Amino acid sequence: MQVLVINSGSSSIKYQLLDPISALVMASGMVSRIGEDVPPGDITVEHHSDGRKFTHDGPITDHAAGLRVVFDLFARSGHDLTGAALSAVGHRVVHGGEVFYEPTVITDTVVAAIDELSTLAPLHNPANVTGIRSARDLLPDVPQVAVFDTAFFHGLPAAAKTYAIDADIAAAHGVRRYGFHGTSHEYVSGRVSELLGGDPATHNQIVLHLGNGASASAIRGGRAVDTSMGLTPLEGLVMGTRSGDIDPGVLLHLARTAGLGIDGIDELLNRRSGIKGISGVNDFRELFALIDSGDAAARLAYDVYVHRLRRYIGAYLVELGRVDAITFTAGVGENNAQVRADALAGLQRFGIVVDPSLNNAKDRAARHISPPGAEVTVLVVPTDEELAIARAAVALVG
């Protein structure tokens, strides 16, 4: 069984060809810098298959051209998608609004509806739609399925999803907390329940998805009851280039005193804030190198990042009442032992302890980093959104 998973971003396409049953990845790659004027010879595509790497040199004009290159690389590596027995194509779609809250077979009507939701995710949904249209043109006879980042959080309790603004305006414009990274939170929390054993319906969890984008969730019995991201992926934790939570009055103040318009504020909060806004870098390796050199701005950026993270952990401890597991996932969460240690430091009275030797171990597998017998299990669980999307697609199309 083969499923092609496509994650189409504003200037990139990530993809995997995998077996959703065995989780075997047969090929994967990424097209980057789509639409940029790249000099000839500059490698823009790397395709990995069966331990071999295939590359494509030169600019990629648009997503349709990018997917054509991908299909050519598949053929060169021995996987001819046009003739393969693909079971489905699964597409990651960032925002489903109130309309989509489960995996959905893609039709013309569905594509139009996803496009209409671009007002809620202007940085993401248009790119998702472009990738979907290109894939449907290239594989018209293969079932294609949209899997939505917001779906896992669709059933948030009213108190958690409602913003305290005029109710008529909120209803008219779809303003509520939707949450994002839902595919990751659902997959990781499911893996945690497997690792804990017993009845998943009894497990209370906090999942921390920490990458360049970052989000936290509180999960009771397999159902999300709160999450840090909101109407858009901008709310919540401090991220690589995004501010996370901010007093709305700051935006009014900047509009009045700095002359920032809507586009300027959008640029500030999404691309010039977060770790990068304070320190000038958004890669944690660069950040730690600056901290080691004595850079005060880098130290402050890290302290702000951890402070916000601990605030959400504390809030979810109170909301859940009892927590069985706290789990770190995604790029920073899986690979940065210092972040994990600092996020949970001094919480012994709550039954939360991180074992330094387990935390610092160089191990990429799902694992405990709390000592045996700890009241709250602390884990690192690698996320696998592509596998989750592939399985959701196959479950839907059969």
Side-chain angles (χ1 to χ4, degrees), residues 11 70 109 127 137 139 142 145 165 173 175 207 222 233 259 307 340-341 376:
S11 61
V70 168
T109 302
D137 287 341
L139 295 168
V142 179
V145 176
I165 66 170
H173 298 281
V175 177
V207 176
H307 177 80
R340 297 193 295 261
V376 177

Side-chain angles (χ1 to χ4, degrees), residues 4-332:
L4 177 64
V5 175
I6 296 175
N7 180 355
S8 182
S10 58
S11 61
S12 67
I13 303 171
K14 299 178 185 177
Y15 61 91
Q16 279 191 8
L17 180 68
L18 69 158
D19 182 332
I21 297 174
S22 68
L24 174 66
V25 176
M26 289 162 272
S28 65
M30 179 174 179
V31 184
S32 58
R33 304 175 69 182
I34 295 174
E36 295 184 21
D37 186 13
V38 181
D42 192 5
I43 294 174
T44 57
V45 184
E46 286 193 4
H47 176 88
H48 300 268
S49 177
D50 304 320
R52 297 175 295 162
K53 182 172 77 173
F54 301 81
T55 61
H56 170 84
D57 297 345
I60 304 292
T61 55
D62 53 33
H63 286 73
L67 278 177
R68 285 194 294 271
V69 168
V70 168
F71 277 47
D72 177 64
L73 291 171
F74 268 112
R76 285 170 52 192
S77 65
H79 297 281
D80 184 358
L81 295 183
T82 58
L86 279 177
S87 300
V89 178
H91 294 269
R92 179 199 180 208
V93 179
V94 168
H95 216 307
E98 293 279 12
V99 181
F100 300 109
Y101 47 89
E102 55 189 12
T104 303
V105 173
I106 295 172
T107 64
D108 291 344
T109 302
V110 169
V111 175
I114 294 172
D115 201 16
E116 288 178 8
L117 291 168
S118 293
T119 54
L120 294 173
L123 299 179
H124 300 92
N125 272 38
N128 300 155
V129 168
T130 300
I132 289 170
R133 286 175 172 154
S134 298
R136 293 182 78 207
D137 287 341
L138 289 166
L139 295 168
D141 299 322
V142 179
Q144 308 211 16
V145 176
V147 178
F148 298 88
D149 260 18
T150 50
F152 184 54
F153 301 114
H154 179 77
L156 286 176
K161 71 180 181 182
T162 303
Y163 288 110
I165 66 170
D166 181 280
D168 292 336
I169 289 179
H173 298 281
V175 177
R176 55 156 283 189
R177 176 171 285 107
Y178 289 96
F180 298 87
H181 297 145
T183 306
S184 176
H185 285 275
E186 184 173 19
Y187 173 83
V188 169
S189 61
R191 288 284 292 119
V192 169
S193 285
E194 292 174 3
L195 294 168
L196 292 179
D199 184 1
T202 66
H203 297 156
N204 287 358
Q205 304 183 40
I206 296 172
V207 176
L208 305 170
H209 177 109
L210 307 179
N212 194 48
S215 59
S217 66
I219 299 170
R220 179 182 289 118
R223 297 178 63 87
V225 296
D226 210 344
T227 189
S228 57
M229 286 180 166
L231 174 76
T232 75
L234 185 57
E235 187 181 359
L237 303 177
V238 174
M239 302 174 227
T241 64
R242 297 178 222 161
S243 65
D245 294 338
I246 190 170
D247 177 0
V250 171
L251 312 184
L252 303 178
H253 172 74
L254 291 176
R256 295 182 181 121
T257 64
L260 288 181
I262 296 297
D263 291 340
I265 290 172
D266 187 299
E267 172 75 14
L268 171 68
L269 297 183
N270 278 293
R271 296 185 176 89
R272 293 167 49 204
S273 296
I275 294 288
K276 184 175 183 179
I278 300 173
S279 71
V281 300
N282 62 297
D283 186 293
F284 265 75
R285 291 164 295 187
E286 296 179 61
L287 184 72
F288 274 74
L290 288 174
I291 291 173
D292 290 342
S293 72
D295 188 288
R299 178 79 251 179
L300 176 61
Y302 180 75
D303 289 345
V304 171
Y305 178 92
V306 172
H307 177 80
R308 182 77 56 78
L309 181 56
R310 287 170 64 86
R311 179 190 293 178
Y312 270 91
I313 293 169
Y316 291 168
L317 284 171
V318 172
E319 185 161 5
L320 291 170
R322 186 203 80 248
V323 174
D324 300 297
I326 298 175
T327 305
F328 294 87
T329 191
V332 176

